[in-house]
Amino acid sequence: MQEQIHKLPKVELHSHLEGTIKPALAQEIAQRNDVSLDSNLFHSNGGYAWSDFPSFLTAYDNVSSCLRLGKDYGDITYEYLKDCAKENVVYAETFISPDHAAECGISYDDMISGIANGIDDAERDFGIVGRIIVTCVRHLGPEQGLNVVQTMVDNPHPYVVGFGMGGDENAYTLEEFADIYNIAKEAGYECTVHAGEICGPESVWDAINYLPISRIGHGVNSIKDHELMNELVQRNIHLEICPGSNLSLSIFPDWDSHPLPSIMNKAVSISLNSDDPPFFNTTVGQEYYDSAKHFNLDIDELKRISVMAMEASFANSKIKSRLIEQIQKFQN
Ligand code: ADE
Ligand code: ZN
């Protein structure tokens, strides 16, 4: 089974590029940029040190602070996609944060062209297809979000396929971001938003009622509301589920309490994702192994998850149908 899971073509829809930087790479980039990273950032076990959601967000900001150039963004993209390809991930969408780049003095154009180079190099070397979802940061507020979406729309790039938002779910209301999302949607970008991770089902209702989204980041707390689950099925809203992240952030105390099996039973479209791999000691492949082990999923169910993910991806129809066919052809 391990071998079968390894070989299965997999799809990642939910990772944060700045959150994929491993500690050794953060230190290497910091050193060459003459940046001193906060000494509290590293745990004695070699990982990142944080203890709860707010301190995780702070650690995420601290890691991102090592970046200075478009090339740094290229390097972290290449490393992330290389790791994905080693696990037979064939397609990966990653969230990028122009606010974090700006904080480091990196322009939107430099950021995007650096990432696009990383995507091209990774596709050439490993065959993996990478795409970009531009995100704003919820706790920086709607005004800042407007800057981000306007910059995205004014500077189109073929690899930028969607718009999204991460950050503190308790900050502001989703209604306040409706205009921003409508700008993205009207310009042709598919949309997703983090909701139902830290907050309850009401946050997912807000997402589907106020924002033109076809996917929700996490959305796991939707399980507490039957009507909402039916609505997600009816509207074909996909949930980007990140079980390892949820357990690390104590959203659920253990695998037994994680709602993935109940969500799958309700026929909601889902994917399995790493979120911020080194922070949560995971990878997308690990999420497939762990879900198979703890939820008794067989290889056909994992294959179905991979197909659901590719169907919900923001890739163009040519890439979508090619990769869905590749997954479906996979022989157990
Ligand atoms: N930014 C990076 N990871 C995140 C998460 N899990 N939730 C919200 N914002 C994030
Ligand atoms: Zn996330």
Side-chain angles (χ1 to χ4, degrees):
M1 183 77 168
Q2 289 272 104
E3 181 70 7
Q4 285 177 307
I5 299 176
H6 174 71
K7 286 186 178 156
L8 174 71
K10 293 179 272 297
V11 173
E12 167 123 287
L13 299 183
H14 188 125
S15 69
H16 300 259
L17 185 58
E18 296 87 358
T20 68
I21 310 172
K22 290 190 273 196
L25 185 59
Q27 276 167 322
E28 183 190 318
I29 295 177
Q31 205 160 29
R32 76 188 187 208
N33 286 335
D34 225 358
V35 171
S36 48
L37 289 170
D38 187 337
S39 58
N40 294 326
L41 178 58
F42 300 99
H43 196 276
S44 55
N45 68 12
Y48 293 126
W50 55 273
S51 56
D52 53 15
F53 189 66
S55 66
F56 156 70
L57 289 177
T58 302
Y60 182 98
D61 291 346
N62 284 338
V63 172
S64 311
S65 74
C66 71
L67 304 165
R68 283 295 174 275
L69 301 167
K71 183 194 175 317
D72 299 335
Y73 265 101
D75 289 351
I76 66 173
T77 304
Y78 184 81
E79 287 301 311
Y80 163 62
L81 292 174
K82 180 170 84 178
D83 287 347
C84 283
K86 273 188 202 152
E87 300 186 317
N88 290 310
V89 175
V90 291
Y91 178 86
E93 271 168 19
T94 188
F95 300 130
I96 66 157
S97 169
D99 288 313
H100 284 83
E103 194 62 30
C104 299
I106 305 171
S107 72
Y108 183 78
D109 281 349
D110 283 355
M111 175 193 213
I112 296 291
S113 55
I115 295 170
N117 286 339
I119 287 176
D120 286 337
D121 291 350
E123 182 160 2
R124 178 199 63 216
D125 294 348
F126 315 115
I128 185 170
V129 177
R131 289 293 181 265
I132 300 165
I133 296 178
V134 169
T135 57
C136 62
V137 178
R138 181 159 173 170
H139 53 267
L140 297 182
E143 241 175 81
Q144 196 59 23
L146 186 60
N147 276 337
V148 171
V149 80
Q150 209 60 64
T151 306
M152 176 186 78
V153 168
D154 292 345
N155 299 276
H157 187 285
Y159 293 169
V160 174
V161 292
F163 181 72
M165 178 164 71
D168 185 353
E169 255 185 71
N170 284 303
Y172 302 92
T173 65
L174 287 182
E175 192 177 3
E176 291 173 274
F177 290 89
D179 291 347
I180 294 160
Y181 268 79
N182 287 330
I183 291 170
K185 183 71 182 170
E186 278 158 26
Y189 295 87
E190 301 273 3
C191 300
T192 177
V193 66
H194 282 61
E197 177 194 19
I198 305 301
C199 297
E202 68 289 347
S203 68
V204 178
W205 279 116
D206 282 351
I208 63 178
N209 286 333
Y210 292 117
L211 308 179
I213 44 108
S214 55
R215 300 193 332 218
I216 305 259
H218 300 284
V220 277
N221 283 323
S222 307
I223 195 66
K224 297 171 183 160
D225 182 334
H226 287 296
E227 200 189 322
L228 176 58
M229 294 301 287
N230 292 338
E231 196 74 12
L232 294 176
V233 173
Q234 223 157 44
R235 295 202 204 181
N236 194 24
I237 306 277
H238 176 94
L239 301 186
E240 306 154 3
I241 298 192
C242 315
S245 159
N246 295 156
L247 295 196
S248 285
L249 286 167
S250 303
I251 309 292
F252 302 100
D254 50 35
W255 285 94
D256 283 347
S257 2
H258 196 281
L260 181 82
S262 318
I263 294 173
M264 287 182 73
N265 278 340
K266 301 268 183 199
V268 174
S269 172
I270 61 113
S271 50
L272 288 172
N273 305 280
S274 66
D275 210 5
D276 304 280
F279 288 85
F280 306 137
N281 201 13
T282 191
T283 62
V284 65
Q286 193 63 46
E287 296 299 317
Y288 275 69
Y289 291 124
D290 287 342
S291 299
K293 179 171 150 201
H294 294 285
F295 305 134
N296 267 319
L297 302 179
D298 64 22
I299 193 73
D300 283 329
E301 284 166 304
L302 295 177
K303 186 169 158 179
R304 196 166 65 82
I305 290 174
S306 217
V307 170
M308 279 193 277
M310 201 59 225
E311 280 169 346
S313 77
F314 297 158
N316 68 31
S317 54
K318 198 169 152 207
I319 292 175
K320 229 185 225 194
S321 46
R322 171 168 68 83
L323 294 178
I324 288 173
E325 194 184 326
Q326 185 182 340
I327 301 163
Q328 276 168 338
K329 272 192 182 151
F330 173 73
Q331 300 284 343
N332 309 337

